Amino acid sequence: MEIVDKEQERKDYENSPEGRKKKRIEQIGSAVVVIAVLGLLYLCRDFTIGGGKPYIVTLGSVEVKPGKTTVQDLADAGYDLTDTSVGILSDQAAGGYLYEDVYDLSSEAEPNTCYAMLVLVKDGEQTAELSVINDTAKPLPLAECIINEITVRKDYADAELTAAEGYAFADLASETAREAIGKAGRTTSDYTSLWERGDYSLYVETEADGSTVSRITSTKYYPLDLGTGSDQ
């Protein structure tokens, strides 16, 4: 009769690519939710809660509406999701990293939990940073989670194809775009502007010359009573 070493089987599985990927999915909630909460506190400290509509960020041909767009919507458009821990240094890739190991979107996200520091990938290159949320009282597949924040930086892949509120990434520093978006609620000496409408915000950061956009972030505010995943 064959004797099966269950403990060795468990260790072998944990050390396999599938086991490591599963472990990362299980850890992202507890590892990054604190960062998500702190970021939301900073961005949302002056919000007028309730109402409004999202500031739309367009990635190529797909629209991202924080609070409405799902992870599956982006997957259907050819994007993958992963996190910063699996990036491989590459001076040939946008942002300096390649991402070949991506999430299984059927993996469960815990109830009332926000996941930050995620990487949106197309053809192995980073196109955006994401924060996603399961705002329900039950576990959901990662695919069904809602995008609650998206950030695009100028060195990301296809940044030149990115737009916010219909204005190309590079044009968001222009007075024309800013006036069309509306009066910014706050402009700082760090060359940043923040627009707000109800639960939503749009943040645009420029470099010291004031004309080169370095980063944009569109956010949907959620009440800050989120869980911390399985380690709560």
Side-chain angles (χ1 to χ4, degrees):
M1 181 176 64
E2 182 180 4
I3 298 174
V4 179
D5 187 338
K6 294 293 185 182
E7 180 62 19
Q8 187 59 48
E9 281 189 354
R10 182 186 65 80
K11 290 180 179 179
D12 290 343
Y13 176 74
E14 288 180 349
N15 290 324
S16 69
E18 293 80 6
R20 290 196 299 271
K21 183 181 295 185
K22 180 180 179 181
K23 186 176 182 180
R24 278 200 305 278
I25 290 290
E26 292 172 346
Q27 289 176 337
I28 59 175
S30 58
V32 303
V33 72
V34 173
I35 296 172
V37 171
L38 290 176
L40 288 170
L41 277 171
Y42 173 77
L43 288 172
C44 305
R45 61 194 184 281
D46 295 327
F47 271 15
T48 300
I49 305 304
K53 61 179 182 177
Y55 292 92
I56 299 172
V57 173
T58 305
L59 302 174
S61 61
V62 62
E63 289 187 343
V64 181
K65 300 177 181 179
K68 299 181 182 296
T69 302
T70 67
V71 173
Q72 186 62 57
D73 291 332
L74 295 179
D76 291 343
Y79 292 89
D80 292 305
L81 193 64
T82 186
D83 64 72
T84 56
S85 70
V86 300
I88 301 171
L89 277 172
S90 170
D91 57 7
Q92 303 299 313
Y97 289 88
L98 279 175
Y99 296 89
E100 298 177 346
D101 196 0
V102 298
Y103 289 161
D104 176 355
L105 299 186
S106 66
S107 301
E108 282 194 344
E110 295 189 26
N112 299 310
T113 300
C114 183
Y115 299 88
M117 293 180 66
L118 303 181
V119 178
L120 188 66
V121 175
K122 195 161 193 178
D123 299 326
E125 296 190 89
Q126 182 168 8
T127 60
E129 300 167 32
L130 293 183
S131 175
V132 307
I133 188 169
N134 173 8
D135 63 344
T136 74
K138 63 181 182 179
L140 286 179
L142 189 56
E144 296 180 25
C145 288
I146 301 295
I147 310 302
N148 73 288
E149 182 171 281
I150 179 169
T151 293
V152 179
R153 301 178 188 271
K154 69 173 186 176
D155 60 342
Y156 288 171
D158 298 332
E160 71 279 4
L161 303 178
T162 298
E165 292 294 281
Y167 288 89
F169 187 95
D171 295 336
L172 286 166
S174 71
E175 286 301 318
T176 300
R178 290 170 179 267
E179 290 175 4
I181 293 171
K183 183 179 179 181
R186 182 165 47 255
T187 302
T188 76
S189 58
D190 294 326
Y191 304 98
T192 63
S193 295
L194 179 67
W195 289 264
E196 300 166 318
R197 51 192 184 206
D199 290 342
Y200 302 90
S201 72
L202 176 66
Y203 174 90
V204 176
E205 178 182 288
T206 62
E207 296 183 353
D209 61 11
S211 62
T212 303
V213 177
S214 57
R215 173 166 73 102
I216 63 172
T217 298
S218 181
T219 305
K220 163 67 164 68
Y221 168 82
Y222 282 87
L224 298 176
D225 57 355
L226 305 174
T228 56
S230 59
D231 294 337
Q232 184 179 3

